[in-house]
Amino acid sequence: QVQLVESGGGSVQAGGSLRLSCAASVRTSTSDVMGWFRQAPGKDREFVATIKWSPYYADSVKGRFTISLDPAKNTVYLQMNSLKPEDTGVYYCVAGRTFIATRADEYDYWGQGTQVTVSS
């Protein structure tokens, strides 16, 4: 069983930056694609970014967010710059086997989520 543990959420003003981390207990062939989703209050979960050999981003974060992977540490990072109030939500780390996957049901493993709040 793959366990994902996120860290790095918090509160920041618009224009600021945050870095999220997600450590996987193990990486297997069913979990070597990692990524991030987010969920704002009252909204569905939304794809943010994913990575295996290369990164892929939602249009809403392209140019502001950077996803990276450290295979030696089984850890994926999400560097978030130029944050906007609409980036507010719970950010979930995910892992699965399909690249490029942008639907929530394509990922088998989910972290517990970390809150990101951006104030104007």
Side-chain angles (χ1 to χ4, degrees):
Q1 184 74 2
V2 178
Q3 293 183 329
L4 304 174
V5 179
E6 303 108 333
S7 60
S11 297
V12 66
Q13 289 190 325
S17 298
L18 284 174
R19 188 193 195 207
L20 306 183
S21 300
C22 171
S25 58
V26 65
R27 288 188 75 212
T28 68
S29 60
T30 64
S31 65
D32 60 354
V33 176
M34 298 188 74
W36 296 90
F37 277 70
R38 66 187 181 188
Q39 187 168 23
K43 294 189 176 181
D44 292 335
R45 289 186 182 184
E46 174 190 26
F47 168 77
V48 176
T50 186
I51 187 168
K52 186 174 181 181
W53 305 285
S54 58
Y56 181 82
Y57 301 95
D59 287 343
S60 59
V61 306
K62 202 173 295 182
R64 300 187 297 120
F65 291 11
T66 301
I67 188 171
S68 59
L69 180 64
D70 185 341
K73 296 182 179 180
N74 292 342
T75 298
V76 65
Y77 304 95
L78 186 68
Q79 177 66 43
M80 304 184 293
N81 298 329
S82 302
L83 282 161
K84 305 175 181 180
E86 51 263 43
D87 294 318
T88 295
V90 178
Y91 282 69
Y92 296 91
C93 177
V94 296
R97 71 182 74 192
T98 303
F99 186 77
I100 298 166
T102 61
R103 298 198 321 266
D105 63 2
E106 293 181 291
Y107 290 90
D108 296 318
Y109 305 101
W110 289 73
Q112 80 284 358
T114 185
Q115 178 69 44
V116 170
T117 302
V118 184
S119 58
S120 57

